[in-house]
Amino acid sequence: MKHFVLIASLMATGSALATDGDAILEQRCAGCHALSGPAAQSVPELWKRKGPDLFYAGSKYKDNWLEKWLVKPRRIRPAGYHYVQHIKPGKKRDMVDMSTLTPHPVLSAEDAEDVAEALMKRKAPADLITKGDFKGGSISASFGEMVFSTFNGCMACHEIEPNFGGLSGPEVYTAAKRMQEDYLVSYIRNPQAWNPKTPMPNKHTAEQNIQKIVRYLQALAKENWDEKK
Ligand code: HEC
Ligand code: HEC
């Protein structure tokens, strides 16, 4: 309650908003991102969202990644959030129409800290995520690639290193840097449980292969490709 009064009074005076993460989210982020659930239940509703849902951010992102990215956002989805809006026909295959992609808003370090803190408080419903779902362990990059690409066909839509892999989904070579492992397990197991209208298919990946894929994503993230770019 105290918190609400604070936000309300800040809004009334129109000053010092930048010190409150929730107020920044409402003012500068809500136009593109859903800050409260549920996920879109229809395709038109999904298309109204210009960026990924943030209402379960605290169960999805790694805190330190989130804060850094908000200060220095770099593209995660080569063809934007709704990739069909950014694809044009090319000579051999479809290409990303870069002119239709806009840079992400940037936050100051101070605002990013406040916003990351406010986002990390937004947790997913308990039935969607299980602490300790990812069992750990390691995998060789070559075997991991086989499980990811050959057995499960994930590379058709995801880049496993810059400029190598499909373009319609988010790059996965930074996935384990960006996201909590338990989230990755749950998401790969059933993407539609998180977002009923997501274009990411449920590949009905065997439970042991989900574990292997997340180990592989961890191995990829160690390469720090994003920092080399
Ligand atoms: C003009 C629309 C727009 C606004 C405003 C906007 N975003 Fe985004 N946001 C996007 C899009 C589009 C993406 C996907 C970017 C990508 O994949 O490269 C994104 C991605 C993100 C991501 C990474 C999500 C993920 O799972 O990949 C975070 C975190 C984020 N935004 C937070 C914020 C915050 C915090 C604000 C307010 C300060 C904000 N955004 C304002 C459009 C927007
Ligand atoms: C037909 C294309 C397609 C295939 C095949 C596919 N994905 Fe995806 N994937 C997507 C798209 C599109 C998204 C983004 C969905 C969204 O934001 O709603 C996504 C999201 C993800 C995410 C969340 C990433 C993030 O940054 O938020 C992970 C992890 C993932 N996919 C892993 C996999 C794995 C593992 C496989 C193979 C079992 C796979 N994908 C197969 C299209 C695909």
Side-chain angles (χ1 to χ4, degrees):
M1 192 59 202
K2 210 172 142 201
H3 197 55
F4 174 74
V5 173
L6 176 69
I7 294 173
S9 65
L10 286 172
M11 283 181 168
T13 60
S15 66
L17 278 175
T19 58
D20 191 284
D22 284 304
I24 298 171
L25 281 168
E26 288 300 338
Q27 297 236 312
R28 296 177 57 188
C29 319
C32 293
H33 294 282
L35 300 173
S36 56
Q41 302 296 309
S42 69
V43 173
E45 200 192 325
L46 179 65
W47 276 50
K48 280 194 201 131
R49 304 187 181 187
K50 303 296 172 208
D53 288 349
L54 294 179
F55 60 85
Y56 48 80
S59 302
K60 176 174 180 180
Y61 302 111
K62 292 189 173 169
D63 199 359
N64 56 351
W65 172 82
L66 187 58
E67 199 179 319
K68 273 194 229 153
W69 189 84
L70 292 171
V71 175
K72 206 181 163 192
R74 50 173 289 285
R75 194 167 305 289
I76 297 165
R77 293 159 183 75
Y81 183 53
H82 299 296
Y83 64 90
V84 286
Q85 296 173 342
H86 304 285
I87 294 287
K88 61 179 179 187
K91 274 198 185 117
K92 287 201 179 120
R93 58 173 208 164
D94 288 353
M95 291 167 54
V96 181
D97 185 353
M98 296 301 289
S99 70
T100 63
L101 292 172
T102 46
H104 195 270
V106 175
L107 291 182
S108 69
E110 197 188 323
D111 288 355
E113 194 183 340
D114 289 348
V115 166
E117 198 186 320
L119 282 175
M120 291 309 289
K121 290 199 183 115
R122 290 160 203 254
K123 304 286 187 198
D127 58 333
L128 274 180
I129 193 120
T130 310
K131 204 171 183 322
D133 221 359
F134 175 57
K135 308 296 177 211
S138 61
I139 193 171
S140 78
S142 55
F143 183 53
E145 189 176 326
M146 215 155 78
V147 176
F148 188 82
S149 308
T150 318
F151 302 161
N152 291 287
C154 314
M155 210 168 78
C157 303
H158 293 284
E159 287 185 333
I160 60 168
E161 58 182 74
N163 307 315
F164 188 62
L167 299 175
S168 56
E171 64 188 29
V172 292
Y173 54 89
T174 56
K177 250 187 169 176
R178 293 185 278 119
M179 293 174 280
Q180 299 171 28
E181 282 76 3
D182 290 340
Y183 171 82
L184 290 169
V185 169
S186 170
Y187 188 86
I188 296 166
R189 186 183 291 137
N190 187 358
Q192 281 67 32
W194 291 89
N195 177 354
K197 296 297 167 192
T198 179
M200 158 89 187
N202 184 340
K203 303 285 272 183
H204 301 284
T205 309
E207 204 55 40
Q208 61 188 40
N209 282 341
I210 297 178
Q211 296 289 330
K212 284 177 188 153
I213 287 171
V214 177
R215 287 183 212 150
Y216 172 60
L217 297 179
Q218 285 185 322
L220 288 179
K222 287 203 185 101
E223 292 278 348
N224 287 322
W225 287 110
D226 51 331
E227 282 159 28
K228 288 177 200 161
K229 276 219 272 197

